[in-house]
Amino acid sequence: RAMKKSSPMKIQVSSKDSHSTSKGQVWLVGAGPGPADLMTVRAAKLLEQADTVIYDDLLSEEMLELVSSDAECIYVGKRGGKASST
């Protein structure tokens, strides 16, 4: 099947504490079949450069280790049959 070139979603973020806004990008990155050595190079680079990573159970510990220690990691996932974290 033909692969589509991915592009980021443009977002605008405003702070509750000020009237200023800043622009950012949101990337949706699939975890692939599981092992980190099977993810795309681009996906790995995006995880390494991210300021915030919102992830679920499909992201392996090995992939999560690619995320910068300065990045905020937010777990939001669940697996079928298990309780939700929220």
Side-chain angles (χ1 to χ4, degrees):
R1 102 182 155 187
M3 299 294 286
K4 288 184 177 179
K5 184 177 179 182
S6 61
S7 61
M9 290 186 280
K10 299 290 183 182
I11 61 168
Q12 194 168 37
V13 180
S14 63
S15 170
K16 292 179 182 179
D17 299 329
S18 70
H19 297 299
S20 66
T21 60
S22 60
K23 293 184 179 185
Q25 296 179 334
V26 174
W27 290 88
L28 300 178
V29 178
D37 62 339
L38 295 179
M39 71 188 313
T40 66
V41 172
R42 186 171 198 174
K45 285 181 181 178
L46 289 170
L47 285 176
E48 291 169 350
Q49 297 170 356
D51 295 321
T52 303
V53 175
I54 300 172
Y55 69 100
D56 62 14
D57 282 331
L58 296 177
L59 190 70
S60 70
E61 285 292 324
E62 189 178 9
M63 290 178 191
L64 200 53
E65 289 174 4
L66 296 172
V67 178
S68 167
S69 60
D70 295 330
E72 179 180 10
C73 293
I74 303 168
Y75 174 74
V76 295
K78 64 172 249 164
R79 288 284 198 164
K82 293 185 181 178
S84 175
S85 64
T86 57

